[in-house]
Structure formats: C-alpha cells, structure tokens
Amino acid sequence: MVGRHVLTELLYIAAGLLIAAAVAGGAAWAYPLGGDVIWGCGVFAMVATVLMGIAPLRRAVALDRETR
C-alpha cells in the first residue's frame, strides 16, 4: 500500500509532467516551425521534473515507513 506522503509526492511529479507537456504542446502549436526544438526542451523539462522529484520521494518513503 502506498503511504500518504509517497502518494502526495507522486501526484506532484505527475502534475509537473502534465504541466510541462501542456506548456510544450501549447508552445509547439503556437510556433510550429520550432516544434522540434520546443518539444526537445519540453522533454528536458519533464526529465528534470522526475529527477528533482527523486529526493523528496525517497524522503516520503522513509517518512511513511516511520509512521507505520
């Protein structure tokens, strides 16, 4: 079972990924000539979002283990 803290962190990561995809999609739609570059930056932002979420996720796992 996923603990409350882990679930919260996973939701934040998912929200960040959705927002990055929406911004990249909107920007690529608005400027189709630069779509490849825009999507490249969007993918980079999504990877960065996941990487930045790893440490808080590990802390959340430890916190949920403590509170069990």
Side-chain angles (χ1 to χ4, degrees):
M1 175 123 193
V2 176
R4 178 176 60 96
H5 298 99
V6 171
L7 184 60
T8 301
E9 289 300 329
L10 289 174
L11 288 175
Y12 279 128
I13 291 171
L17 292 174
L18 287 173
I19 290 169
V23 169
W29 172 81
Y31 188 65
L33 293 175
D36 292 339
V37 173
I38 292 168
W39 276 112
C41 292
V43 168
F44 179 78
M46 290 181 227
V47 169
T49 299
V50 171
L51 292 176
M52 289 188 301
I54 291 173
L57 189 57
R58 290 177 72 176
R59 285 192 298 271
V61 167
L63 189 58
D64 280 342
R65 283 185 185 159
E66 273 181 21
T67 56
R68 263 193 241 163

